[in-house]
Amino acid sequence: MGFIVEGDESGDVVLEPPPNFSMVEEGIFRSSFPRPCNFAFLQTLNLRSIIYLCPEPYPEENLEFLRSQNIRLFQFGIEGKTEPSLASLKDAIRGALKILIDVRNHPVLIHCKRGKHRTGCLVGCLRKLQNWCLSSVFEEYQHFAGMKSRSADLRFIETFDIVCLRQCLQSIIYQYQGYGSKKRRLLYGEECTETPNNFDMNEESAHNINGRNSHFSLMV
């Protein structure tokens, strides 16, 4: 179902979000694969980045939209039809998390094909980093996965070691930033210089990721 807003003289504009669209946190969204009919809606989010979790090349019409809106694409190819190796899945999720918690990439949209399994794994691991209890993490995953919930995904989320990510981030500072109500954030002063594999990024993106004195923010 789309949202209808008042348009100009040519008539109203229908804004249709992608299926499984939802806000994860302020500046972080999730959905299934956006189609051209969703582009007008995505424009309202003022996205800076998209995290794409499929191995297939991004469609040219979607790339054209990203270029027109100056949106950066970060691709982490996680297999969906066959179960990926545990090592490759860990590497992809760890790399995607590093992009996700960097506020310079916000607002950011996470998506795979259906917005269920691969997206659910990434969001689930983010929730662990935010110290959510495991039952709440699983409940959120199952809400979006529905009847197609995968036990392998839940096991991966449960066993994902967030310490390995935290060890790569230094100078952790707790700071309050107010947006109406105060929200505590984790600010990371510096990131390790390791560049995640399987990226599709431009020169500016690479500089942002590998530059020293980077700042990261994570809602807790």
Side-chain angles (χ1 to χ4, degrees):
M1 180 180 295
F3 300 101
I4 301 179
V5 298
E6 186 174 347
D8 52 24
E9 295 179 356
S10 62
D12 292 341
V13 177
V14 178
L15 302 179
E16 181 181 350
N20 255 352
F21 176 83
S22 182
M23 176 184 285
V24 177
E25 290 286 353
E26 182 179 355
I28 301 177
F29 306 94
R30 62 179 291 169
S31 75
S32 63
F33 203 109
R35 297 174 296 158
C37 62
N38 307 131
F39 290 169
F41 174 81
L42 295 184
Q43 281 183 288
T44 67
L45 303 179
N46 297 314
L47 295 173
R48 288 184 181 177
S49 310
I50 284 181
I51 296 176
Y52 173 47
L53 300 175
C54 301
E56 294 80 15
Y58 220 53
E60 184 58 34
E61 57 188 346
N62 289 61
L63 288 173
E64 284 292 337
F65 171 73
L66 266 56
R67 285 191 285 265
S68 71
Q69 303 298 310
N70 197 27
I71 299 172
R72 290 171 292 179
L73 175 67
F74 298 94
Q75 182 172 5
F76 299 85
I78 302 174
E79 288 293 338
K81 296 180 180 179
T82 59
E83 189 170 329
S85 70
L86 185 59
S88 64
L89 183 56
K90 283 182 178 179
D91 286 345
I93 293 296
R94 190 180 299 119
L97 278 171
K98 292 178 184 179
I99 301 302
L100 186 59
I101 62 177
D102 186 343
V103 294
R104 293 168 304 175
N105 297 320
H106 294 182
V108 57
L109 173 68
I110 311 162
H111 78 81
C112 50
K113 186 175 181 181
R114 304 295 182 189
K116 296 180 178 181
H117 305 116
R118 288 165 283 195
T119 298
C121 284
L122 178 56
V123 173
C125 292
L126 171 68
R127 298 309 192 191
K128 287 190 68 176
L129 201 58
Q130 293 177 299
N131 296 319
W132 277 35
C133 67
L134 202 56
S135 60
S136 296
V137 174
F138 286 176
E139 182 180 357
E140 182 179 41
Y141 170 90
Q142 291 166 338
H143 171 75
F144 289 94
M147 297 297 293
K148 294 187 176 181
S149 175
R150 294 176 179 173
S151 58
D153 289 347
L154 298 178
R155 285 195 303 272
F156 173 81
I157 294 171
E158 181 176 7
T159 59
F160 183 78
D161 184 10
I162 59 174
V163 175
C164 64
L165 178 63
R166 284 176 171 161
Q167 288 176 342
C168 197
L169 304 171
Q170 303 172 6
S171 305
I172 301 178
I173 305 171
Y174 287 90
Q175 178 176 324
Y176 282 94
Q177 296 184 358
Y179 295 96
S181 62
K182 290 184 178 180
K183 299 178 180 180
R184 192 170 67 173
R185 292 170 176 259
L186 278 174
L187 297 184
Y188 298 90
E190 185 174 309
E191 185 196 19
C192 71
T193 57
E194 175 188 1
T195 301
N197 294 326
N198 205 8
F199 262 10
D200 179 8
M201 59 184 179
N202 55 29
E203 182 177 349
E204 178 185 1
S205 305
H207 178 269
N208 284 345
I209 295 165
N210 291 321
R212 307 295 286 180
N213 298 321
S214 306
H215 284 84
F216 295 85
S217 172
L218 175 64
M219 293 287 196
V220 292

